[in-house]
Amino acid sequence: MDEFRFELALCSYLESETGAIVARQLGGAVAEPGARIVDVVVLQPGTAFEKRARLSPKAIPTRAIESDVGAGQAVPRRNVFEGTSRGRRIVETAVEAGYFQLERRDGKDWVRATARYPDDWYDRLTAIENKPDLGSPGDLDDQITHDVALGLFDEVVLATASYVTRAHLNRLPEPVGVWQFDPETGERTVVREPSRLPVDDPGIEPTDRHPLRTDVAVVAPGEKRRKRLTIAERAYGKGWRPSLEAYPACAHADATGDCRPYCGQFGHVVDPGTDCGTDCPSFTPGSRPTCDPTEVRADRSPWIADPPGAVRKQAGLDRFIPREGDPGDERLSKSN
Ligand code: SF4
């Protein structure tokens, strides 16, 4: 069993059994972004989850959420993020997500948020490291040590298909939970429950490992809070399914009912990025499968693909003029 198939089977199981938002391959480091990619993130909805879901199906940029642009507070577009090119991209992404809205007044473009961003929309973030075969643990020790010392996630779990011995458990830091998961039957055994990590305390992030020492960075609680919001937003926007464009145009390509890429020729789930393409000896030109990951995700999880009342995507960001009766305006007046 390769890690990709194991991971997708676990994501599907968690989505159907926990009612949570499940996502794959998200950054889990602060001081060295990109240095740690977490296999699976599980987001447990909080009290205001529905308000967030009604805002947008996409990830909203953290800098947009934290900016001076508020729901009742239009800001001249050129003042947002001081008109930098990075700032312009953030505004465009927030508009694409439907969180920001552009208006034209007095010959100027103004930006405002379409609704107040909700607090407490997620309750808990769990990081899961997949090691189907504990006989080939790879970087497991470093990955787990990183996550526990940094304390960015509320919980850290190791998921494996292997039989877990007492020696395995003793080698893992105490707060780490352990699940044994069978990707064929979808059965999960909780070998050890995870303990809560101190997410509101400063964290210690290993940044560089040498034979006799490890360099670390101290990460302040505020930086962790910000990164947690980014992770939550990315998890909400991204989910775990590969996009359909990633599937090969191969006659053997198919999809399971929960929209995992499946190969009819080899009889199992495949990773289109590494298993498929013209390099595959059984590749036969054909059409892509017809599974709709968006529809399946909306059916099987609390994620809302097309929330009622969300602002329509604004075409032509440079020349937007608000329309009377725009649902975004309607919602804005309710939220004020
Ligand atoms: S490219 Fe190969 S692995 Fe991928 S679907 Fe076609 S036959 Fe299967």
Side-chain angles (χ1 to χ4, degrees), residues 2 12 29 43 64 73 84 106 108 130 139 146 163-164 170 174 176-177 183 197 235 244 267 291 300 322:
D2 70 23
S12 179
L43 177 152
Q73 199 177 350
T84 58
D106 308 328
K108 281 191 220 143
N130 293 322
D139 293 335
H146 177 285
Y163 177 73
V164 182
N170 289 343
E174 224 253 1
V176 176
L197 294 170
L244 211 54
C291 166
R300 288 172 45 110

Side-chain angles (χ1 to χ4, degrees), residues 41-230:
V41 171
V42 178
L43 177 152
Q44 287 295 340
T47 47
F49 180 84
E50 248 190 79
K51 285 188 183 156
R52 168 61 191 86
R54 272 191 264 124
L55 262 183
S56 171
K58 297 183 177 178
I60 300 170
T62 304
R63 287 195 63 196
I65 295 166
E66 292 175 339
S67 71
D68 292 340
V69 181
Q73 199 177 350
V75 175
R77 187 180 179 182
R78 65 163 186 268
N79 294 0
V80 184
F81 309 119
E82 293 161 352
T84 58
S85 57
R86 181 151 183 251
R88 280 197 294 277
R89 278 199 303 278
I90 293 167
V91 170
E92 283 172 18
T93 308
V95 171
E96 284 277 323
Y99 178 59
F100 278 176
Q101 186 170 33
L102 296 180
E103 302 170 358
R104 187 124 184 113
R105 268 196 269 139
D106 308 328
K108 281 191 220 143
D109 285 334
W110 295 72
V111 185
R112 67 173 168 170
T114 54
R116 203 177 75 74
Y117 188 84
D119 297 325
D120 300 327
W121 69 271
Y122 69 92
D123 176 53
R124 193 165 82 236
L125 296 173
T126 303
I128 302 172
E129 185 57 36
N130 293 322
K131 285 285 175 267
D133 178 7
L134 286 179
S136 307
D139 293 335
L140 177 64
D141 284 347
D142 288 350
Q143 291 163 328
I144 292 284
T145 305
H146 177 285
D147 294 349
V148 171
L150 181 56
L152 189 59
F153 294 88
D154 299 275
E155 298 171 338
V156 174
V157 168
L158 165 68
T160 181
S162 297
Y163 177 73
V164 182
T165 64
R166 172 73 30 208
H168 288 132
L169 290 178
N170 289 343
R171 276 208 299 273
L172 291 167
E174 224 253 1
V176 176
V178 181
W179 298 343
Q180 198 179 13
F181 177 69
D182 184 333
E184 305 300 339
T185 63
E187 271 175 53
R188 178 181 60 150
T189 305
V190 177
V191 180
R192 184 166 86 189
E193 292 281 6
S195 309
R196 285 286 187 122
L197 294 170
V199 293
D200 296 325
D201 291 353
I204 304 296
E205 180 175 325
T207 53
D208 213 355
R209 292 174 202 278
H210 305 277
L212 293 175
R213 70 161 212 274
T214 300
D215 297 338
V216 299
V218 177
V219 181
E223 292 175 90
K224 284 171 62 174
R225 217 168 15 253
R226 199 157 186 273
K227 184 71 184 187
R228 282 165 58 78
L229 179 59
T230 302

